[in-house]
Amino acid sequence: MSAPLAATAEVAAVRELAAELAAITTRPWTLMEVCGGQTHAIVRWGLDQLLPPGLRLIHGPGCPVCVTPAATIDAARALARRPEVILCSYGDMLRVPGSAADGGPGDLLGVRAEGGDVRLLTSPLEALALARRHPERQVVFLAVGFETTAPATALLVRQATAAGAANLSLLAAHVRVPPAMAAILTAEGNQVQGFLAAGHVCAVMGTAELEDLADRHRVPVVVSGFEPLDLMRGLVACVRQLERGEARVANAYGRVVRQQGNPAARALLESVFEPVDRIWRGFGVIPGGGLELRAPFRGLEAGARFADLPGGPEAGVEPGAAVGAEGVCISGRILQGRARPMDCPAFGTTCTPEHPLGAPMVSSEGACAAYHRYGRRG
């Protein structure tokens, strides 16, 4: 293992599960985890190095920062350059590259260096507080995240509407995980035969959509947590299904996840947002892959308040030149699970956390950042 676990008992339990995996695996299988937090745990603890021969674990697009399209970043940069605007978002979003089609700086930190008012928030409700403190300015919140953070954005929308905050708007880029899993399974050349599902998403949304996915595509889906034991138990449960020819949802994170999820959070989310087709960086358009404000709240969309924002389908592809060119980022393939970070010629050379070329190296939950942080080169 690449680093010591916190307790000897946990080490022993993990190794027992690794031995169980080796005993039950009779043929090659390819599994994918779809959560960046899980990816970091797997790489940090070297769990993928404990797998038996033939059992392969690949990393999916498990980070909402990573899959936010260049078009959205371009729109945010354009807004941040307006003197009347305060543009705010979460920390990692400030370093994600856009398309730089205008020749300017590729991320929001670059715009801030030019003099744009770009601010880091830790909670969506801080955007409403900013709007109240600066009634003379327009506050735009770049809202990103999976179904886990979308309810907090929905609460912001509700409170801003109730408060009549006319100077607050959203550049919403929330994305939905099950449609992305379906897109991976239906892509040409797909190799994924089973999923470890993100426990935090299921804690909010429950397992109904995953049950539909498992039934429709005949793949096992195991809800897993983020600790080494959680992940190893998830792997064992998934391989057991594959070996038996089963394809259903199993919950290996029962201490947190319930089949119905969090009804209050789901109700809040569904009252404010509705599914929409959405561009994912590295993927293109995923049907139902995003969330947009429902009709009663569309006046809060930044696009409804500001004319001539840049962006379009062509800006949704990961910036960079052709795959395989020297020093070029292949993060689109990495996000799809079709390549590993060390397969990229730029990894650890021209692309580092200090000077990232692609979003998976920018985000604290990106696969490239995980491999770089924990010294994984092979």
Side-chain angles (χ1 to χ4, degrees), residues 71-213:
T72 301
I73 305 302
D74 289 348
R77 290 167 56 224
L79 286 166
R81 289 194 179 101
R82 298 185 182 225
E84 76 275 18
V85 169
I86 299 173
L87 191 287
C88 51
S89 192
Y90 304 120
D92 283 348
M93 288 307 304
L94 307 191
R95 301 177 61 237
V96 177
S99 69
D102 58 1
D107 59 30
L108 286 164
L109 283 181
V111 177
R112 186 163 74 176
E114 287 183 333
D117 196 345
V118 178
R119 306 195 189 187
L120 184 155
L121 302 185
T122 58
S123 164
L125 294 182
E126 293 177 33
L128 181 55
L130 265 177
R132 286 168 171 161
R133 289 200 303 270
H134 299 279
E136 78 287 359
R137 306 281 299 280
Q138 288 290 322
V139 175
V140 180
F141 177 49
L142 172 54
V144 301
F146 293 142
E147 295 93 331
T148 46
T149 57
T153 302
L155 180 61
L156 168 65
V157 170
R158 285 286 192 184
Q159 292 196 5
T161 301
N167 65 327
L168 174 66
S169 59
L170 271 68
L171 188 59
H174 283 292
V175 289
R176 301 174 61 239
V177 175
M181 296 166 69
I184 288 166
L185 291 171
T186 56
E188 184 178 354
N190 166 61
Q191 299 179 27
V192 176
Q193 297 165 293
F195 283 107
L196 295 187
H200 54 359
V201 171
C202 296
V204 174
M205 300 303 295
T207 61
E209 273 194 285
L210 294 180
E211 289 161 6
D212 290 342
L213 180 90

Side-chain angles (χ1 to χ4, degrees), residues 1 5 7-20 50 229:
M1 300 179 70
L5 293 176
T8 303
E10 188 174 4
V11 172
V14 167
R15 293 195 180 279
E16 285 179 9
L17 289 167
E20 184 176 354
L50 296 177
L229 278 174

Side-chain angles (χ1 to χ4, degrees), residues 41 43 90 135 138 141 151 174 187 227 235 291-292 316 375:
V43 177
Y90 304 120
Q138 288 290 322
F141 177 49
H174 283 292
E227 298 298 322
L235 288 169
L291 293 169
E292 72 173 5

Side-chain angles (χ1 to χ4, degrees), residues 189-329:
N190 166 61
Q191 299 179 27
V192 176
Q193 297 165 293
F195 283 107
L196 295 187
H200 54 359
V201 171
C202 296
V204 174
M205 300 303 295
T207 61
E209 273 194 285
L210 294 180
E211 289 161 6
D212 290 342
L213 180 90
D215 184 62
R216 185 167 64 252
H217 297 281
R218 301 303 303 161
V219 294
V221 179
V222 179
V223 180
S224 177
F226 308 91
E227 298 298 322
L229 278 174
D230 292 327
L231 290 161
M232 293 299 289
R233 287 170 180 147
L235 288 169
V236 169
C238 198
V239 170
R240 282 199 179 281
Q241 285 199 53
L242 287 168
E243 291 282 341
R244 294 169 178 167
E246 299 174 353
R248 57 184 174 79
V249 173
N251 184 3
Y253 200 34
R255 68 180 186 275
V256 173
V257 174
R258 302 291 180 269
Q259 185 179 24
Q260 71 275 20
N262 183 324
R266 286 179 55 195
L268 176 61
L269 174 63
E270 292 163 8
S271 71
V272 172
F273 288 106
E274 61 185 359
V276 64
D277 297 350
R278 174 67 49 81
I279 293 172
W280 282 48
R281 186 183 290 246
F283 281 77
V285 176
I286 293 182
L291 293 169
E292 72 173 5
L293 294 174
R294 292 189 179 273
F297 305 105
R298 297 225 177 113
L300 284 172
E301 291 179 348
R305 303 235 182 133
F306 301 92
D308 303 322
L309 289 183
E314 68 282 357
V317 179
E318 178 73 13
V323 170
E326 183 62 26
V328 169
C329 168

